[in-house]
Amino acid sequence: MLNKSNAEVLYKALLQRYPDGMRAISDLSKNTDGRPGGKKFIECPHLAFNYDLVTNCATNNGVKEKSPDALFLDADRLHFIEFKEGQVKRIELRQKIHEALVTLFQFAIKNNILTRDEFLALDFRYTVVRRLQNANPMVNALDISIDSFGLKNLEGFLIKATDVQWAPHKILELLSNVTNKGIRTIDYYCPQGNCSTVTT
């Protein structure tokens, strides 16, 4: 039997600590800012780990830090995904992944799951999935390039790769990849609320 990777060991430890942590991507991707029930973004019943549940255990009472919405175990990689709508702040995207990694590091060390060196050797990925609001493709392209540049210079230290996805077929490709081809179709909701089904 093959030994578990350190990524899998850490991910399984999160599942054990947060047994109700798996949520449908439909729920994790909803925009809940002031909307009863939330505004749909991606409808997909496949489960992902709700990273918003994880608290920083550096202190006894635990502190809720900013964090991306979902965490996937992708082979021997740990892939964070943040679902965003409309305009985003560069500092917010960077703060979320920074605090998520600090929180995960504290969880791994405090619970004797991994050593510091083992944690630093993990392959972390971070993708922002955006629902664009502007009908002008040139403005959208500019928004995406700004987001991408704001994340690319995070690569090489703790994060191996970052990405920004907004096209429905590319979002499906991403979700399919991080679930080992477990997702073959999604329903994508445009800002206006109309829905389109995307399949591989």
Side-chain angles (χ1 to χ4, degrees):
M1 183 175 180
L2 293 175
N3 291 331
K4 293 179 182 178
S5 69
N6 284 333
E8 184 178 359
V9 168
L10 183 54
Y11 188 80
K12 294 279 178 70
L14 281 172
L15 295 182
Q16 186 174 5
R17 171 63 182 82
Y18 299 94
D20 298 323
M22 298 303 285
R23 295 277 302 278
I25 291 171
S26 302
D27 295 329
L28 294 174
S29 68
K30 275 184 184 175
N31 181 346
T32 55
D33 293 342
R35 296 172 177 86
K39 182 179 177 185
K40 292 180 179 179
F41 181 6
I42 296 165
E43 281 290 292
C44 176
H46 198 95
L47 301 179
F49 182 74
N50 178 12
Y51 198 78
D52 283 335
L53 294 176
V54 183
T55 57
N56 189 322
C57 60
T59 59
N60 290 335
N61 56 352
V63 175
K64 180 65 190 87
E65 306 275 17
K66 288 187 177 297
S67 62
D69 297 304
L71 177 64
F72 293 85
L73 176 64
D74 172 18
D76 58 352
R77 297 177 289 273
L78 290 168
H79 200 133
F80 289 94
I81 294 184
E82 171 69 9
F83 298 97
K84 293 299 291 183
E85 180 169 3
Q87 293 296 319
V88 295
K89 295 178 180 177
R90 176 179 182 268
I91 188 65
E92 179 186 352
L93 295 179
R94 296 169 66 89
Q95 184 180 9
K96 283 187 178 225
I97 191 60
H98 172 76
E99 293 188 5
L101 289 172
V102 170
T103 294
L104 192 56
F105 174 77
Q106 294 293 347
F107 176 79
I109 298 301
K110 293 282 184 180
N111 293 287
N112 296 312
I113 298 163
L114 299 177
T115 66
R116 180 180 182 277
D117 288 343
E118 287 170 336
F119 184 88
L120 294 177
L122 291 172
D123 185 344
F124 291 108
R125 310 293 171 105
Y126 180 40
T127 300
V128 176
V129 174
R130 289 194 58 187
R131 173 163 47 194
L132 301 177
Q133 301 295 308
N134 201 300
N136 185 327
M138 291 295 290
V139 174
N140 284 336
L142 179 60
D143 282 348
I144 294 300
S145 67
I146 291 170
D147 288 347
S148 298
F149 177 76
L151 296 179
K152 284 295 177 189
N153 61 11
L154 294 174
E155 295 179 355
F157 177 43
L158 288 177
I159 304 168
K160 293 278 174 48
T162 63
D163 201 5
V164 179
Q165 294 295 343
W166 71 97
H169 70 282
K170 285 294 196 178
I171 295 172
L172 173 58
E173 184 178 304
L174 164 71
L175 292 175
S176 178
N177 287 341
V178 298
T179 59
N180 192 26
K181 309 302 180 189
I183 298 175
R184 298 189 177 276
T185 183
I186 60 171
D187 287 337
Y188 174 88
Y189 284 82
C190 296
Q192 300 77 15
N194 50 316
C195 173
S196 60
T197 298
V198 187
T199 58
T200 54

